[in-house]
Amino acid sequence: MSSVKIVRVADRKGLDDFIQFHYDLYRGNPYDVPNLRSDEENTLGKERNAAFDFCEADYFLAYKGGRLCGRVAAIINRRANERWGRKSVRFGWIDFVDDREVSAALLGAVEQWGRERGMEEIVGPLGFTDMDPEGMLTWGFDQLGTQATIYNYPYYPEHIEAMGGWEKDNDYVEYKMFVPKEVPEKYVKIAALVEKRYNLHVRKLTRREVLREGYGQKIFEVINETFKDLYGYSQLTPRQIDQYVAMYLPMADLNLITLVEDWNAGRKLVGVGITIPSLSRALQKCRDGRLFPFGWWHLLRALKFHKTEGVDLLLMGVLPEYRAKGANALMFADLIPRYQKYGFKWGESQVEMETNENVQSQWQYLDKVNHKRRRCYRKEL
């Protein structure tokens, strides 16, 4: 008999405990980047997150000896399952103390929850959609995390791989690129060439265009088309897109967002590069993910005054038919001088499938290092 008690989150107090557990477990860790509590509440709140239009989820807490010692989310994304022809239950938001009885009980709860709903496999860590953090860190535990990715202790993958029945479903890599003193000549030449040969051009946006003239929605429509064939992706719905536009773009530095248009096709939007100042150090200073009393100031210094050394390349996408035309070079030729002006020293690529050579090739003219790896696991039910 297990001494671990699993409790389903059934009220606001339970959800608060679920969110708080990560802050407590990683308090003082120099590499973990905790999310804002308000963002966690918006994502996990079933009445707030538009993903619940096609997702089902429950959250579980693990107690041992009367002490909270783990958490996990069980998620079924029906759109993704239909798109990929799978019957998957996802596990996400998984955290636990270094106790294998606890980790086994948490994953066992997700497995049972999935079986009861007719699922045939468990996969993860994954969120509701690709806009949520995914993949368990397996290498690079001494590297600073980012707002958009998961950090976890080294014992997490050790627990899963010791359980038996688990296998690799997908691996990701992440790159750290160093901002050059000069824009690489290759980017400059290719950018000039594609402007002349294909009539592709950089487009910078105004706040009005983003929020009132529909460009925020157009950006995510390109992201949908760009990412549609990637592992586990489910295309964002119009309601989700509206939600992400309202959540993230009003505060964005539009100098760090670069679009590419095809002027031969009526200024059709064909490429998107969304980058933001790294918020990692600022978020670490927001105690328990709270903006007050002083967290807001640290975030403002990073977002508005660029008091940070890094830049996060959050979403970089080019429509498939334009990738071979060098549209990426246009974005980098525009963005790198802006990074130099702001004093950024390095950039983070975020997660990329290890097999996605098209994405990785766009960093080829930069000084870079593969500094993190992560994995999604799978087990048959």
Side-chain angles (χ1 to χ4, degrees), residues 244-260:
Y244 286 124
V245 169
M247 285 174 63
Y248 297 120
L249 293 186
M251 288 292 291
D253 183 341
L254 297 182
N255 286 324
L256 300 179
I257 296 178
T258 297
L259 309 183
V260 177

Side-chain angles (χ1 to χ4, degrees), residues 259-275:
L259 309 183
V260 177
E261 294 180 333
D262 182 351
W263 287 12
N264 285 335
R267 295 181 180 262
K268 174 185 176 182
L269 185 60
V270 302
V272 172
I274 301 178
T275 70

